[in-house]
């Protein structure tokens, strides 16, 4: 059974409690109908207990939730019991918080990514991923670098899902000009960005140096959006020693507003693509 990240478990518990309240049942009544002890419902709602896909299905039946989209989303939050995530084979080299990040990424309907330093993982080429991993973590052995780089590129399968999430990426111009891996690697990476920008479910914009300071200068962040249930949206903010999950509604709204503001300051998609092509050709100064 797939491990359920803490942030998802907490949001799942909150949503199940909301659905129970809507059904008009107490936790004791819900437990009785599910054939459980009352404490199990309480532990699930407060994220103090592991929750399985089967448990969620039982509670949704008890609460008479018939909406297939809601059922599918809450099942995703509980983890997919019928298969392990593809990243399971990399569990020895992936920190828990990175696994949590990937599981959120695989279930989101929209992914809003602000990057001020490097190309987002979903848009990296294998060569760029290897060079970046080796550069930022020089203590790793070659096989560990290869494994982590493979994870970066394997994550991109989410963009080939049916339907795929909508990826909206805003990149600082520094991302395009930072030499990672040398000229050949960067040429391949910039070409890949040009191709990705043409995908119908990818929106790629660049904040040029001329835009001056902006909220993304100090921190990169990703917002995972679940359109069917906005209360489950979560922000992941990068910092020096790892990442921080932010899921309070007002905080998510603040980050979303910041992202929207930056998107307005960024070059339009066509001009962003032209800037990428110009940098690749060596003609953009």
């Amino acid at each position: 059974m797939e491990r359920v990240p803490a942030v998802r478990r907490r949001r799942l518990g909150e949503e199940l409690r909301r659905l129970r309240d809507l059904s008009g049942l107490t936790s004791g009544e819900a437990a009785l109908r599910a054939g459980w002890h009352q404490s199990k419902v309480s532990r699930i709602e407060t994220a103090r207990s592991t929750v399985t896909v089967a448990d969620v299905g039982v509670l949704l039946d008890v609460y008479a939730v018939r909406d297939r989209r809601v059922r599918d989303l809450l099942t995703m939050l509980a983890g997919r019991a019928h298969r392990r995530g593809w990243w399971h084979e990399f569990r020895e080299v992936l920190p828990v918080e990175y696994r949590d990040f990937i599981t959120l990424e695989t279930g989101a309907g929209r992914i809003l990514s602000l990057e001020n330093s490097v190309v987002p993982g979903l848009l990296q080429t294998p060569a760029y991923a290897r060079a970046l991993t080796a550069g930022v973590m020089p203590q790793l052995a070659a096989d560990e670098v290869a494994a982590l780089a493979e994870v970066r590129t394997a994550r991109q399968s989410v963009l080939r899902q049916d339907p795929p999430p909508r990826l909206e990426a805003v990149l600082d111009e520094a991302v395009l000009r930072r030499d990672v891996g040398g000229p050949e690697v960067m040429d391949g990476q910039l070409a890949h960005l040009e191709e990705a920008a043409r995908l119908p479910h990818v929106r790629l914009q660049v904040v040029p140096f001329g835009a001056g300071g902006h909220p993304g200068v100090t921190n990169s962040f990703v917002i995972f959006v679940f359109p069917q249930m906005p209360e489950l949206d979560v922000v992941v903010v990068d910092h020096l020693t790892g990442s921080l999950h932010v899921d309070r509604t007002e905080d998510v709204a603040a980050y979303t507003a910041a992202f929207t503001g930056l998107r307005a300051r960024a070059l339009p998609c066509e001009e962003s693509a032209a800037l990428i092509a110009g940098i690749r050709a060596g003609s953009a100064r």
Side-chain angles (χ1 to χ4, degrees), residues 67 107 135 158 170 266 269:
D67 189 315
V158 72
V170 175
C269 293

Side-chain angles (χ1 to χ4, degrees), residues 18-282:
R18 186 185 72 84
L19 292 172
R20 176 174 62 76
D21 288 341
L22 287 174
S23 74
L25 298 175
T26 66
S27 59
E29 291 167 339
L32 183 63
R33 295 190 184 190
W36 301 341
H37 190 279
Q38 186 272 339
S39 63
K40 180 171 181 176
V41 174
S42 296
R43 290 196 306 271
I44 289 174
E45 291 182 351
T46 56
R48 290 183 290 114
S49 175
T50 298
V51 60
T52 68
V53 169
D55 291 339
V56 170
V58 168
L59 290 176
L60 293 179
D61 288 342
V62 168
Y63 305 151
V65 177
R66 302 285 179 253
D67 189 315
R68 174 51 55 187
R69 292 176 302 173
V70 172
R71 295 183 70 97
D72 287 348
L73 178 54
L74 293 182
T75 296
M76 181 279 298
L77 288 174
R80 297 173 175 83
H82 62 280
R83 66 174 176 85
R84 289 175 172 175
W86 57 261
W87 54 93
H88 182 77
E89 63 182 285
F90 298 101
R91 62 191 181 280
E92 298 301 325
V93 296
L94 293 182
V96 170
E97 65 177 16
Y98 193 10
R99 281 178 274 163
D100 288 0
F101 181 94
I102 294 171
T103 54
L104 288 167
E105 187 175 69
T106 61
R110 290 173 66 211
I111 301 170
L112 312 181
S113 178
L114 171 66
E115 279 290 350
N116 60 42
S117 191
V118 299
V119 173
L122 290 179
L123 298 176
Q124 293 177 8
T125 64
Y128 183 98
R130 287 192 298 271
L132 179 64
T133 303
V136 300
M137 291 183 281
Q139 75 278 12
L140 296 182
D143 59 337
E144 293 175 307
V145 169
L148 287 174
E150 186 177 350
V151 168
R152 293 252 176 149
T153 53
R155 282 171 45 200
Q156 297 170 16
S157 63
V158 72
L159 296 178
R160 297 187 292 275
Q161 290 179 174
D162 185 20
R166 179 169 176 77
L167 173 62
E168 300 177 32
V170 175
L171 313 182
D172 190 272
E173 185 176 342
V175 171
L176 309 176
R177 296 188 180 277
R178 176 165 289 105
D179 187 350
V180 175
E184 185 175 347
V185 170
M186 286 305 300
D187 181 72
Q189 179 60 72
L190 293 175
H192 182 67
L193 288 177
E194 291 182 78
E195 294 173 7
R198 290 192 284 269
L199 294 174
H201 53 286
V202 174
R203 179 187 178 97
L204 180 60
Q205 292 180 262
V206 178
V207 180
F209 287 146
H214 58 77
V217 167
T218 54
N219 284 105
S220 298
F221 60 84
V222 179
I223 306 173
F224 294 115
V225 180
F226 300 89
Q228 295 88 354
M229 303 180 76
E231 61 272 17
L232 299 176
D233 295 354
V234 62
V235 181
V236 181
V237 184
D238 286 342
H239 58 80
L240 182 62
T241 58
S243 59
L244 172 68
H245 287 74
V246 178
D247 60 3
R248 288 201 314 165
T249 301
E250 55 268 39
D251 292 334
V252 173
Y255 276 97
T256 302
F259 184 86
T260 301
L262 279 168
R263 193 166 54 190
R265 295 176 66 177
L267 296 174
C269 293
E270 296 78 10
E271 293 181 29
S272 295
L275 177 60
I276 294 171
I279 292 174
R280 186 183 176 210

